[in-house]
């Protein structure tokens, strides 16, 4: 019986050998779904429930009570960071790979087939489409936690009681999903068949840097500040990739006003991030650890601004080169226009008798 291709890849007439690279790539979502189901089924068995719950449930709670007669609604659990969180990160990394394949198969591939995009635009469309889904979810989730916990109304909560900052369920689960998403980018390089160094390097840097920075903030008790800064950052990135998607469908000339908005939001977010960082880490918390974190935060903002300006200048240079190339190609393909003298001469020759009209020489005819 032939194995049908599953999620996250294009169908092929030939079935690759089982356990070959092509087989794993074509069926990676189904394979990983089976692995994830092993942990879910493990919860149903009493002997394996404790082991499976380490990968699915959140641990290291410091307060909270289950519903009882005295408290029918119970008491909300609060959590801190711990070693068992990395088991949950592993499980939700598998979930991120599955969701990545679902979005690619049922949303992006169906849209791209109707658009008939070039190879370059198709790659940009797939990358920005995946990131827009992640940034939108992260921004809405982060904004919801900020409003629910009251961090926006009472900014002093960002540093009051530090480092004793227990997290609610949604707050902790937010960081687990963030770390899982950045970690899932690495195996996606293999599943998407990205082999060239030019394409791999920015994705690897994005994955490792994002995972490392969030892990540091999460384990060093800067979860509240990290939640605020990530929500702001994701709003800026969301606009940037939405405009990139618009650029796939529309002309670059019409995106000039949108790029101005994107640039303004980017620099505004960088400024707001620096102000909140100084207010929280320098004036609010203080200490050597906070000053080191503040130095790293300011350096990161400077690097992002430098990279943004460099990218904008590079894009302008490439746009000018492309415009010159297109203009040169248009001049080469354009046929020379016929002058009025040529038209009059041809008309006069057509009016003459056939014997008097110019004809090719006998030598040229023999050569032909």
């Amino acid at each position: 019986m032939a194995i049908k291709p599953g999620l996250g890849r294009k169908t092929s007439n030939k079935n690759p050998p089982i356990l070959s690279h092509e087989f794993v790539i074509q069926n990676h979502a189904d394979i990983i779904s089976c692995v994830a189901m092993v942990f879910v089924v493990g919860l149903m068995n009493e002997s394996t429930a404790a082991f499976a719950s380490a990968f699915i449930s959140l641990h290291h709670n410091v307060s909270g009570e289950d519903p009882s007669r005295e408290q029918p609604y119970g008491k909300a659990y609060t959590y801190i960071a711990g070693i068992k969180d990395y088991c949950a990160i592993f499980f939700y990394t598998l979930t991120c790979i599955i969701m990545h394949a679902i979005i690619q198969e049922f949303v992006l591939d169906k849209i791209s087939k109707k658009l008939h995009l070039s190879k370059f635009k198709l790659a940009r469309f797939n990358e920005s489409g995946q990131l827009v889904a992640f940034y939108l979810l992260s921004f809405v989730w982060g904004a919801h936690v900020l409003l629910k916990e009251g961090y926006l109304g009472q900014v002093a909560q960002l540093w009051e009681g530090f480092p004793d900052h227990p997290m609610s369920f949604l707050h902790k689960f937010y960081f687990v999903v963030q770390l899982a998403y950045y970690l899932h980018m690495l195996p996606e390089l293999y599943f998407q068949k990205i082999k060239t160094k030019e394409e791999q390097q920015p994705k690897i840097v994005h994955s490792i840097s994002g995972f490392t920075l969030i892990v540091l903030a999460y384990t060093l008790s800067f979860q509240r500040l990290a939640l605020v800064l990530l929500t702001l950052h994701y709003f800026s990135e969301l606009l940037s990739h939405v405009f990139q998607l618009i650029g796939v469908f529309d002309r670059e000339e019409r995106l000039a006003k949108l790029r101005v908005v994107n640039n303004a939001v980017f620099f505004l977010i960088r400024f707001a991030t620096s102000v909140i960082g100084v207010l929280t880490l320098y004036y609010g918390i203080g200490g050597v650890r906070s000053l080191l974190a503040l130095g790293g935060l300011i350096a990161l903002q400077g690097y992002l601004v430098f990279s943004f300006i460099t990218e904008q200048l590079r894009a302008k240079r490439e746009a000018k080169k492309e415009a010159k190339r297109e203009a040169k190609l248009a001049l080469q393909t354009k046929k020379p226009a016929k002058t009025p003298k040529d038209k009059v001469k041809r008309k006069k020759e057509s009016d003459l008798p056939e014997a008097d009209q110019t004809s090719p020489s006998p030598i040229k005819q023999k050569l032909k």
Side-chain angles (χ1 to χ4, degrees):
M1 179 178 178
I3 297 177
K4 296 181 180 180
L7 300 177
R9 59 273 168 204
K10 296 181 180 180
T11 59
S12 176
N13 294 328
K14 296 182 179 179
N15 292 317
I18 296 178
L19 299 182
S20 64
H21 289 286
E22 191 64 27
F23 176 86
V24 173
I25 291 172
Q26 288 187 6
N27 300 277
H28 74 272
D30 299 328
I31 295 171
I32 294 175
S33 298
C34 294
V35 175
M37 284 301 298
V38 171
F39 295 98
V40 176
V41 173
L43 289 174
M44 303 178 185
N45 192 337
E46 186 176 354
S47 60
T48 59
F51 176 78
S53 64
F55 290 87
I56 300 176
S57 304
L58 299 183
H59 295 274
H60 304 289
N61 56 300
V62 293
S63 65
E65 296 179 3
D66 294 329
S68 60
R69 289 185 178 181
E70 293 77 13
Q71 292 184 344
Y73 296 100
K75 189 177 180 181
Y77 284 92
T78 56
Y79 303 85
I80 59 174
I83 192 64
K84 289 185 178 180
D85 296 338
Y86 294 96
C87 297
I89 291 170
F90 170 77
F91 176 79
Y92 289 104
T93 298
L94 303 180
T95 307
C96 288
I97 295 175
I98 298 170
M99 294 304 300
H100 187 114
I102 291 174
I103 294 173
Q104 186 68 41
E105 177 78 11
F106 295 102
V107 180
L108 299 178
D109 284 350
K110 289 188 176 181
I111 296 175
S112 61
K113 286 179 182 178
K114 297 179 180 180
L115 298 176
H116 304 289
L117 301 173
S118 63
K119 186 177 180 180
F120 173 75
K121 286 191 174 183
L122 180 61
R124 176 179 289 186
F125 173 77
N126 289 333
E127 180 182 4
S128 295
Q130 292 284 351
L131 290 175
V132 162
F134 170 69
Y135 290 144
L136 179 61
L137 173 65
S138 299
F139 171 72
V140 173
W141 192 344
H144 173 71
V145 176
L146 289 176
L147 293 174
K148 187 177 180 180
E149 299 295 332
Y151 297 151
L152 295 180
Q154 299 177 356
V155 185
Q157 291 189 44
L158 296 179
W159 59 80
E160 286 182 349
F162 181 86
D164 186 17
H165 283 174
M167 297 171 284
S168 63
F169 176 84
L170 284 178
H171 193 174
K172 177 162 183 170
F173 192 42
Y174 174 84
F175 279 100
V176 170
V177 172
Q178 293 296 312
L179 293 170
Y181 185 86
Y182 282 102
L183 196 60
H184 105 285
M185 290 182 176
L186 296 177
E188 282 296 335
L189 297 175
Y190 172 73
F191 297 140
Q192 296 177 14
K193 297 182 180 180
I194 299 176
K195 299 179 180 179
T196 60
K197 186 177 180 180
E198 292 75 13
E199 293 178 333
Q200 285 183 351
Q201 187 173 2
K203 295 180 183 295
I204 293 174
V205 171
H206 186 198
S207 174
I208 295 177
S209 60
F211 183 83
T212 304
L213 292 173
I214 295 176
V215 160
L216 289 175
Y218 181 68
T219 55
L220 296 176
S221 301
F222 294 118
Q223 299 97 340
R224 297 181 181 180
L225 176 63
L227 177 66
V228 175
L229 299 185
L230 284 175
T231 304
L232 292 174
H233 175 71
Y234 288 150
F235 177 72
S236 174
E237 293 296 315
L238 176 63
L239 286 182
S240 175
H241 285 279
V242 166
F243 292 156
Q244 282 193 19
L245 285 178
I246 296 174
V248 173
F249 306 109
D250 208 341
R251 294 182 178 179
E252 293 292 334
E253 293 82 2
R254 299 183 182 181
L255 296 177
K257 295 181 180 179
L258 297 179
R259 292 186 186 280
V260 172
V261 175
N262 181 35
N263 298 344
V265 170
F266 176 83
F267 285 104
L268 183 62
I269 294 297
R270 302 282 78 79
F271 176 75
T273 299
S274 302
V275 170
I276 295 174
V278 171
L279 182 64
T280 303
L281 298 173
Y282 184 77
Y283 292 102
I285 299 175
V288 177
R289 179 168 60 175
S290 299
L291 293 178
L292 291 175
L294 178 60
L297 178 64
I298 298 300
L300 177 62
Q301 301 310 305
Y303 171 76
L304 292 175
V305 171
F306 174 77
S307 300
F308 182 81
I309 294 175
T310 304
E311 181 65 22
Q312 294 295 317
L313 294 176
R314 185 187 64 80
K316 285 185 178 181
R317 288 196 299 267
E318 289 183 354
K320 289 182 179 179
K321 289 181 180 178
E322 186 66 22
K324 290 181 179 179
R325 191 182 299 110
E326 290 180 356
K328 188 176 181 180
L329 185 62
L331 289 174
Q332 291 177 354
T333 55
K334 187 177 179 182
K335 294 182 179 180
K338 296 179 180 179
T339 59
K341 293 182 178 180
D342 295 337
K343 293 181 179 180
V344 173
K345 185 178 180 181
R346 290 190 177 184
K347 187 176 180 181
K348 288 181 179 180
E349 288 182 352
S350 62
D351 293 339
L352 293 173
E354 186 176 353
D356 296 334
Q357 292 183 9
T358 58
S359 58
S361 63
I363 299 174
K364 290 185 179 180
Q365 290 182 352
K366 289 180 180 181
L367 290 175
K368 291 182 180 179

